[in-house]
Amino acid sequence: MTDKLPIQPSGPVEGSIRPPGSKSITNRALVCSALAQGESVLEGTLASEDTEVMIDSLRRLGIPVRVEEEGRRLLVQGQGGRIPASEAELYTANSGTTMRFLTALVCLGRGVYRLDGVPRMRERPIQDLLDALGQLGAEARSEQNNGCPPVLVHAQGLRGGRAEVAGNISSQFLSALLMAAPCAQQEVEILVRGDLVSRPYVDMTVAVMRRFGARVEELQPGRFLVQPLGYQAATYPIEPDASAASYFFGAAAMTGGRVTVEGLGKNSLQGDVAFCECLRQMGCQVEYGMNEITVSGRAERGIDVDMNAISDTVPTLAAVALVAEGPTRIRGVAHMRHKETDRIAALATELRKLGAGVQELPDGLVIQPGPLHGAEIETYNDHRMAMSMALVGLVVPGVVIRNPACTVKTYPGFFDDLAKITRKI
């Protein structure tokens, strides 16, 4: 793909799209199936950098994963909670799910494991997870003693017991602990300390675990109990990615078009379908079918919204806010500063380039639409920056996306799919 991709104004978009499988569900299902007893079949999986580094790491740990149908079907030979390899070097690129989930998973092994990633990954916090694993009997530490990767694990199995974990940085810490817990030597009780960000992702984790036979209960809000009964193999279909769907819903809202996303419904396992309700508040029409969601009409007005639970869709809403009447305030997403880039700062910088007035808050943004103009958009090697800012080019001439190939992290075919509803890219 070219280093710079011009986006052409499209007029109202129209069409039907089925995004690839959910990255979040795919990587959770890979972990559970790797720890299960027997062979699992994962259908509709996502083929992307984030899932490829997870598969590569599992193979390095001695867990066979067979890829079929160009990555849309995976066969995983579970090891019954064992980690066959006694040592491994694991490269996670900039995949937070892979780094955090596998840090907990390798604690079940017996040996020495090192996990590393790209330079940005070495800036992303993981100490809260390491502390919680220590409370469960693991020896896992930050190699540079700065609370960030690389991570070094000296594993002798996971004892279990009781642990507390902070909830304000990333829900992935709690998800990592939960998924490893069924293979601990005794039951595991986990208490969440403070507010838990991105709560729907924890619900997703628990739902996937249960599909693979795990016994996990939430005794009271923020207090989880997991029985050491392991996992059983399963055939598991993966939903289309709701975060990816937000870009097509956003395209309809920005252009006054109509887009249907197939494979998702109001009761999706993924909390990010709630993004559609933000668009409804902005004046769009939202129709829920049994297995599809349709968004139509232009976003007419700005809103004030807490997006803590659906923070991956914040860049999309920030783009849509540019065409609305009046300011949009996005709150409750301070943890976005620890993503692939500091997304709050990055969005503020790029939206200002386009002519918007932006107030950067500690936990979000206030976006005031202004006379918009084209600009060359820096993506910070962040897939969500590239995909969301591309939407602006559908209504503003002269928008150019730098490093569009960064979308391979979760959606290699994004620009091809966007072209299907615009015919202008």
Side-chain angles (χ1 to χ4, degrees):
M1 188 179 288
T2 179
D3 290 341
K4 298 179 182 180
L5 180 64
I7 308 295
Q8 302 298 325
S10 67
V13 301
E14 185 172 356
S16 183
I17 290 288
R18 185 182 180 95
S22 162
K23 180 262 298 207
S24 300
I25 299 177
T26 297
N27 271 357
R28 284 164 172 79
L30 277 167
V31 169
C32 294
S33 57
L35 294 173
Q37 188 71 49
E39 184 178 75
S40 295
V41 180
L42 310 182
E43 304 277 6
T45 47
L46 173 67
S48 73
E49 181 181 78
D50 273 21
T51 54
E52 286 167 1
V53 294
M54 175 67 84
I55 291 168
D56 176 69
S57 293
L58 292 176
R59 288 170 170 167
R60 289 174 184 271
L61 292 170
I63 300 167
V65 181
R66 190 161 82 248
V67 178
E68 298 182 348
E69 297 177 12
E70 298 180 329
R72 294 187 297 274
R73 187 172 192 262
L74 302 175
L75 282 71
V76 185
Q77 190 62 52
Q79 301 298 302
R82 297 185 310 106
I83 308 298
S86 59
E87 60 180 352
E89 287 269 349
L90 307 180
Y91 176 72
T92 68
N94 201 12
S95 172
T97 55
T98 305
M99 173 60 74
R100 279 95 179 239
F101 295 174
L102 292 186
T103 293
L105 181 144
V106 298
C107 290
L108 299 168
R110 296 188 177 274
V112 180
Y113 310 96
R114 184 177 182 272
L115 300 91
D116 199 1
V118 300
R120 174 61 181 170
M121 180 59 74
R122 291 186 168 200
E123 299 172 350
R124 298 179 68 179
I126 199 168
Q127 190 61 48
D128 290 321
L129 174 59
L130 303 181
D131 291 343
L133 288 168
Q135 295 168 50
L136 298 176
E139 183 183 339
R141 65 179 181 85
S142 165
E143 190 175 72
Q144 298 177 4
N145 296 315
N146 61 356
C148 299
V151 170
L152 195 62
V153 177
H154 290 263
Q156 291 294 327
L158 195 62
R159 183 192 66 230
R162 186 176 184 274
E164 291 190 10
V165 65
N168 64 321
I169 299 295
S170 174
S171 64
Q172 291 172 1
F173 299 157
L174 174 58
S175 288
L177 293 167
L178 287 169
M179 286 190 288
C183 300
Q185 295 158 13
Q186 60 192 62
E187 71 176 18
V188 174
E189 182 181 4
I190 306 169
L191 300 178
V192 179
R193 187 173 66 251
D195 294 332
L196 177 60
V197 300
S198 303
R199 170 68 207 224
Y201 284 93
V202 175
D203 296 334
M204 176 195 297
T205 300
V206 171
V208 174
M209 291 173 63
R210 286 174 174 162
R211 282 293 299 270
F212 287 88
R215 286 276 301 277
V216 52
E217 301 173 80
E218 187 170 8
L219 302 177
Q220 61 191 62
R223 182 181 171 216
F224 296 84
L225 186 66
V226 184
Q227 299 299 325
L229 303 176
Y231 294 101
Q232 296 301 314
T235 296
Y236 187 58
I238 308 293
E239 294 179 352
D241 195 296
S243 305
S246 76
Y247 308 116
F248 303 104
F249 296 140
M254 294 188 75
T255 65
R258 179 182 178 87
V259 173
T260 297
V261 171
E262 304 166 3
L264 293 174
K266 195 168 189 177
N267 297 320
S268 165
L269 194 58
Q270 301 166 78
D272 280 355
V273 296
F275 175 76
C276 294
E277 292 306 306
C278 296
L279 297 182
R280 189 196 296 277
Q281 292 177 47
M282 299 179 90
C284 297
Q285 291 77 53
V286 181
E287 305 165 47
Y288 295 99
M290 285 294 293
N291 199 38
E292 64 182 29
I293 303 173
T294 301
V295 171
S296 57
R298 188 182 298 276
E300 298 172 349
R301 54 187 173 272
I303 58 174
D304 185 331
V305 58
D306 186 331
M307 297 185 74
N308 181 281
I310 57 171
S311 62
D312 277 350
T313 65
V314 166
T316 320
L317 193 74
V320 175
L322 298 179
V323 304
E325 186 74 28
T328 291
R329 179 177 179 179
I330 297 169
R331 298 178 282 108
V333 293
H335 58 287
M336 282 177 54
R337 296 190 182 276
H338 306 291
K339 295 288 188 175
E340 284 82 347
T341 187
D342 178 340
R343 284 188 182 147
I344 293 175
L347 283 168
T349 298
E350 302 311 311
L351 294 173
R352 288 174 186 139
K353 284 184 186 177
L354 294 161
V358 184
Q359 180 185 359
E360 184 179 338
L361 308 173
D363 73 333
L365 300 159
V366 178
I367 302 164
Q368 180 68 55
L372 300 176
H373 52 76
E376 194 167 288
I377 301 299
E378 178 58 62
T379 54
Y380 307 87
N381 202 35
D382 184 339
H383 56 134
R384 300 211 185 279
M385 289 294 296
M387 292 186 279
S388 59
M389 292 297 99
L391 303 183
V392 183
L394 302 181
V395 295
V396 177
V399 172
V400 177
I401 303 298
R402 299 185 64 184
N403 186 24
C406 69
T407 59
V408 301
K409 186 175 191 295
T410 56
Y411 200 159
F414 171 73
F415 289 105
D416 291 335
D417 281 355
L418 188 60
K420 291 175 183 176
I421 61 170
T422 65
R423 303 180 179 85
K424 292 289 183 71
I425 295 179

